[in-house]
Amino acid sequence: MDFSVDRLNAMDHEMTSEIQKIFKVANVSCRSDFTETALMKLNKNPLVKIIGSLMKLAEKNIELCKSAAGKIDVMKSEKIADQKLIIETQQGQMNSVQETVKSEMKSWTDVVKKNTAQRPSGKPLTENSIKQAVRTVNEEKKRSKYLMIYGCHESDKEADFELNKVVKDILYGTDAFPVLRTGEVYRIGRKEPGKNRPIKVEFGCASEVDLILMRARNLRDSDSFKHVYLGPDRTKEEQLAHSKLVKEMKQMIQKDSNKHYFIRDRKICTADKTLSSQTSQSS
């Protein structure tokens, strides 16, 4: 039995159904009434039936737990590998920044001259322009902590706890281990009939969002979330640029469908489908 969120939900439904049947046999209405006294009143046949049902449930749960334990071991190994990749990536980014500072930003005077020369119409660098640059950096840093979820069904009267549960199941479906703790979770945009608004999810840091995005491909194996798409929190300009890339990629797929196409670092990349399939199976 392969462990998955769908199988876990199915087991939960089956257990609830079986427990209700046992309550009916024991002639009780709730767990608090299911006592030794109630069982003593039953004949042999009903007791045998109850014991048989409990044994079947126990066996199925043992198999599910064994499968979950194996899955957790695999996820631990993948988590270590992902964390190592994140650390190496961050270290590379830090080294790149240091090199940039050494080679281009030798002094504040150089920075002022460079920014002044780059401003349109020769406009000088002012206090307001510096504040705007700082605001832009802060906004980018804040957006990097948010994950966007697209294509997730929205009910007419969706409660907050229902939305949080769906998001938790989606994150679980990515196989990112452990399931990360989220902050704010809410849908954005105006609600319209027949349309599913995107979900915005807050995390503690940008590296957690990167981890989820790296594991997002695993949702393709989920019956419940294979049509759900995860992405970073983009500005309107970035959204337009990304939409343009998606359109170009679809055209490339129509011309040559023998390759696997994907977008990475704002570029369209290609890979052999056989190698891509082998990589996905080994991940």
Side-chain angles (χ1 to χ4, degrees):
M1 179 183 290
D2 294 330
F3 181 80
S4 66
V5 175
D6 292 334
R7 289 188 180 279
L8 184 63
N9 290 333
M11 178 59 71
D12 180 42
H13 178 75
E14 184 178 352
M15 288 183 66
T16 301
S17 177
E18 285 298 323
I19 289 173
Q20 290 301 323
K21 291 178 182 178
I22 291 172
F23 284 171
K24 187 176 181 179
V25 172
N27 197 27
V28 297
S29 58
C30 60
R31 173 65 184 86
S32 59
D33 295 334
F34 191 68
T35 61
E36 183 179 349
T37 303
L39 290 174
M40 291 295 291
K41 294 179 181 179
L42 298 177
N43 295 325
K44 182 180 178 180
N45 289 339
L47 280 174
V48 170
K49 188 174 181 180
I50 289 175
I51 293 172
S53 296
L54 292 175
M55 286 294 293
K56 288 180 180 179
L57 284 177
E59 289 173 357
K60 289 184 178 180
N61 273 280
I62 289 172
E63 289 300 317
L64 190 63
C65 289
K66 286 181 179 179
S67 177
K71 187 103 173 181
I72 289 173
D73 287 339
V74 173
M75 291 166 66
K76 283 181 179 178
S77 300
E78 291 178 346
K79 171 67 174 178
I80 293 172
D82 287 340
Q83 290 291 358
K84 183 179 179 181
L85 178 60
I86 290 173
I87 292 172
E88 291 175 351
T89 302
Q90 291 176 337
Q91 185 61 48
Q93 291 173 344
M94 290 176 63
N95 293 338
S96 176
V97 170
Q98 290 174 352
E99 289 300 321
T100 301
V101 171
K102 289 179 182 178
S103 61
E104 296 186 16
M105 307 298 178
K106 295 180 180 179
S107 66
W108 175 247
T109 303
D110 292 336
V111 176
V112 173
K113 289 180 179 179
K114 183 175 180 179
N115 282 274
T116 302
Q118 290 178 346
R119 292 183 62 75
S121 305
K123 291 182 179 180
L125 192 65
T126 63
E127 181 180 352
N128 287 336
S129 64
I130 294 174
K131 287 181 178 179
Q132 180 59 41
V134 172
R135 278 196 295 268
T136 300
V137 172
N138 287 336
E139 287 173 2
E140 289 178 355
K141 184 177 180 181
K142 184 177 180 180
R143 280 200 311 275
S144 69
K145 298 179 181 180
Y146 283 91
L147 175 76
M148 300 299 299
I149 302 177
Y150 303 92
C152 186
H153 175 71
E154 180 177 6
S155 60
D156 293 336
K157 295 181 179 180
E158 186 177 63
D160 290 342
F161 77 90
E162 293 175 323
L163 182 61
N164 278 275
K165 184 180 184 304
V166 169
V167 169
K168 186 176 180 180
D169 288 344
I170 290 173
L171 297 180
Y172 197 94
T174 64
D175 283 348
F177 181 83
V179 175
L180 301 170
R181 181 178 298 178
T182 59
E184 292 182 302
V185 176
Y186 55 92
R187 291 189 183 268
I188 61 174
R190 187 171 59 182
K191 189 171 184 178
E192 297 181 24
K195 289 189 177 181
N196 299 319
R197 291 177 296 169
I199 303 172
K200 194 169 185 176
V201 185
E202 181 187 25
F203 289 90
C205 61
S207 61
E208 293 182 347
V209 176
D210 293 338
L211 174 61
I212 292 293
L213 291 175
M214 282 192 294
R215 309 294 296 168
R217 64 183 181 274
N218 291 318
L219 290 177
R220 291 180 296 190
D221 300 326
S222 169
D223 293 334
S224 302
F225 304 117
K226 59 184 176 182
H227 298 301
V228 171
Y229 167 72
L230 307 185
D233 183 18
R234 300 184 178 96
T235 63
K236 290 184 178 180
E237 292 78 9
E238 290 171 341
Q239 289 176 16
L240 290 173
H242 184 75
S243 297
K244 185 178 179 181
L245 285 176
V246 171
K247 186 176 180 180
E248 291 177 6
M249 186 173 68
K250 288 181 178 179
Q251 293 174 348
M252 294 171 68
I253 293 173
Q254 290 178 346
K255 292 180 180 179
D256 184 5
S257 60
N258 295 322
K259 294 182 179 179
H260 173 64
Y261 297 88
F262 57 97
I263 297 173
R264 179 175 293 169
D265 296 330
R266 301 177 185 177
K267 294 179 182 178
I268 299 175
C269 304
T270 61
D272 183 81
K273 276 193 173 182
T274 304
L275 294 176
S276 177
S277 176
Q278 291 174 352
T279 301
S280 298
Q281 290 174 4
S282 62
S283 296

